[in-house]
Amino acid sequence: MSHVFPRHSKSTPPVAVAGDGCYLIDANGKRYFDGSGGAAVSCLGHSDAAVIRAVQDQVAQLAFAHTGFMTSEPAEALADVLISQAPGALDRVYFVSGGSEATEAAIKLARQYHLERGEPQRRHLIARWQSYHGNTLGALAAGGNAWRRRQFDPLLIGVSHIAPCYEYGDRAEGESSFDYGQRVANELETEILRLGPDTVMAFMAEPVVGATLGAVPAVEGYFKRIREICDQYGVLLILDEVMCGMGRTGHLFACEADGVEPDILCIAKGLGAGYQPIGAMLCTAAIYDAIAAGSGFFQHGHTYLGHPVATAAGLAVVTQMLERDLIARSAQMGERLQAALVDRFGQHPHVGDIRGRGLFRGLELVQDRESKAPFDPAHAVAARVKKAAFEAGLICYPMAGTRDGRSGDHVLLAPPFIMTDDQIDEVTDKLAVALEHALTV
Ligand code: PLP
């Protein structure tokens, strides 16, 4: 009898005993192709020798030094590398242990920044429906997924939500992509004006929406308009790249594809690639300087901030990505994966859309391609696909609630950047088996 509190009490997961490249191996010796890197985590696969060595060396050298007393060499070095590559005026890195800690820190930093500058009335956060920013209470309040929020609604701080930029689901008939993007971006201005322009502190969004929409990038021009609106009203732009960042979408920082520069940016997942739990919040020099010139102290903190072993892992991961040109590989293999998915499922009666950037791809599953009508949630299509794929030896990340947090289904793919052409075939073959099995409702 297990004493682990599992994710689901009604199923018993197999025991993972080893990782080998793109594969996870269970206690029975069954090999699973990790087609979603867990949840877009394992970008280097499960047995990267350089990262393993860096973790082992660091833990032997210095396991832990609390950042209330000391900094450490790997934290300093990783911050230098990230800032040397980061877009715009990002200049400081606040290391945490995961994605939710990064987004929580971002929300609190936005608030404190305005306080330090003498604008205490700025307290409203605006985010988007159908986004996910984490499961701690602040991050959950910022997220716009009805299913995740529902039970905890009475505990959530008030956050405004505007429409996502979700072209497949929401662009009107006859409307151009560009016009659609401007229309939904302008919802931000409407909401700022409704709340009172000098009361809004920040807008938070995922450049490519992951878990809750299934790899949906914004259309051309959307984020440029968002940036303009933020600038016009003194609102900070927080980009959550926890899932889509760190090379996943073909750029080290996902927002590079949109030509937009945030004030605060959150990363995690691929930063540690699963070798260590680590996340980070990056902010501009202007934000840091406002704190430094004011109280000098960001009223925040966790015990494991800037953990030496976690930052050593992050440093090794980013170094591997840069030295082995793995981000370009994510872009190239992503195009090949997209082509293979379109080839295999482009005419599938229940695949409505195949989308994404780099090795971050989503297939939206529909009852009817013509009308784009989703399946009845009672069919639990996403759960069935997940189970059937797992049985076939493919780990992918299906999720329900694509349309509104309740109806709609998609499958998210986020395989390791080291995947080969043969493995693209393996993924599409196994996914075909899973869809066949799961959609025979
Ligand atoms: N933000 C985004 C965009 C995410 O996808 C996730 C996790 O899936 C989070 C935040 C939360 O990260 P974590 O699960 O590491 O707390």
Side-chain angles (χ1 to χ4, degrees):
M1 226 277 286
S2 173
H3 292 283
V4 171
F5 196 137
R7 289 208 175 220
H8 296 283
S9 61
K10 293 188 173 56
S11 64
T12 311
V15 178
V17 294
D20 175 20
C22 296
Y23 297 86
L24 282 172
I25 302 161
D26 74 16
N28 295 322
K30 179 171 172 180
R31 292 169 70 85
Y32 304 80
F33 184 84
D34 194 358
S36 56
V41 172
S42 301
C43 52
L44 300 184
H46 295 279
S47 51
D48 190 284
V51 183
I52 293 168
R53 202 175 324 111
V55 170
Q56 289 171 335
D57 289 351
Q58 183 59 47
V59 80
Q61 175 70 33
L62 167 72
F64 179 63
H66 194 283
T67 48
F69 304 97
M70 289 177 171
T71 184
S72 70
E73 288 172 349
E76 295 294 330
L78 178 56
D80 287 348
V81 176
L82 289 172
I83 292 304
S84 75
Q85 304 286 323
L90 295 174
D91 192 51
R92 293 278 171 166
V93 187
Y94 191 88
F95 289 114
V96 291
S97 302
S100 303
E101 283 189 9
T103 53
E104 289 282 348
I107 295 168
K108 287 181 70 178
L109 182 63
R111 168 68 183 157
Q112 191 174 330
Y113 165 75
H114 291 299
L115 281 181
E116 303 269 359
R117 294 174 68 249
E119 292 197 79
Q121 78 287 355
R122 286 197 186 263
R123 62 191 184 282
H124 292 301
L125 174 66
I126 304 175
R128 302 189 299 178
W129 290 117
Q130 293 309 95
S131 57
Y132 180 57
H133 298 300
N135 258 335
T136 50
L137 288 174
L140 189 63
N145 179 257
W147 175 68
R148 288 175 168 81
R149 294 171 57 95
R150 198 169 39 235
Q151 314 186 45
F152 304 102
D153 216 49
L155 309 184
L156 301 180
I157 55 165
V159 174
S160 291
H161 292 91
I162 61 170
C165 188
Y166 170 37
E167 186 178 15
Y168 173 73
D170 291 343
R171 180 167 59 80
E173 190 87 20
E175 188 178 36
S176 73
S177 277
F178 184 81
D179 287 350
Y180 163 67
Q182 299 299 295
R183 173 166 66 82
V184 281
N186 285 332
E187 284 195 20
L188 176 60
E189 183 170 40
T190 306
E191 186 59 13
I192 290 173
L193 293 173
R194 191 187 72 79
L195 292 165
D198 65 343
T199 69
V200 179
M201 63 178 194
F203 172 65
M204 180 184 266
E206 292 168 80
V208 183
V209 184
T212 42
L213 266 186
V216 176
V219 300
E220 178 75 32
Y222 172 84
F223 272 110
K224 291 219 165 80
R225 178 70 190 125
I226 290 286
R227 181 71 267 184
E228 266 173 28
I229 296 168
C230 288
D231 288 344
Q232 185 178 348
Y233 296 102
V235 170
L236 296 178
L237 175 59
I238 303 172
L239 291 182
D240 178 355
E241 299 198 1
V242 164
M243 206 178 229
C244 62
M246 295 294 100
R248 176 55 57 197
T249 49
H251 296 271
L252 187 61
F253 293 94
C255 60
E256 289 171 51
D258 298 290
V260 68
E261 295 169 358
D263 301 295
I264 300 178
L265 185 141
C266 301
I267 51 177
K269 298 198 185 259
L271 175 60
Y275 292 88
Q276 285 289 293
I278 181 169
M281 173 193 71
L282 284 64
C283 74
T284 60
I287 295 177
Y288 177 77
D289 291 347
I291 309 279
S295 66
F297 175 66
F298 177 29
Q299 181 59 60
H300 194 57
H302 300 285
T303 300
Y304 291 130
L305 292 187
H307 192 284
V309 184
T311 49
L315 179 62
V317 168
V318 176
T319 304
Q320 288 302 302
M321 282 192 206
L322 297 176
E323 285 182 356
R324 289 159 55 194
D325 215 10
L326 291 174
I327 298 165
R329 186 175 172 84
S330 163
Q332 280 159 13
M333 294 304 281
E335 290 302 319
R336 287 187 213 168
L337 178 59
Q338 174 77 13
L341 291 169
V342 169
D343 190 42
R344 184 63 78 94
F345 305 110
Q347 298 307 316
H348 191 291
H350 296 302
V351 177
D353 191 29
I354 303 172
R355 60 209 176 203
R357 281 186 188 151
L359 279 174
F360 199 42
R361 299 284 159 179
L363 292 85
E364 186 157 340
L365 306 177
V366 288
Q367 171 79 57
D368 178 59
R369 274 167 63 100
E370 272 307 297
S371 65
K372 302 182 182 175
F375 282 102
D376 180 340
H379 290 321
V381 163
R384 293 165 68 100
V385 173
K386 181 177 176 186
K387 186 161 180 280
F390 198 67
E391 271 162 21
L394 173 67
I395 296 174
C396 59
Y397 193 172
M399 188 60 72
T402 318
R403 293 293 171 83
D404 56 7
R406 190 176 158 273
S407 70
D409 300 270
H410 64 260
V411 180
L412 188 65
L413 295 172
F417 305 168
I418 57 169
M419 83 181 302
T420 61
D421 287 326
D422 287 354
Q423 289 168 336
I424 289 183
D425 294 339
E426 182 178 346
V427 170
T428 49
D429 287 349
K430 288 181 171 171
L431 193 57
V433 170
L435 291 183
E436 170 78 33
H437 206 82
L439 298 177
T440 317
V441 184

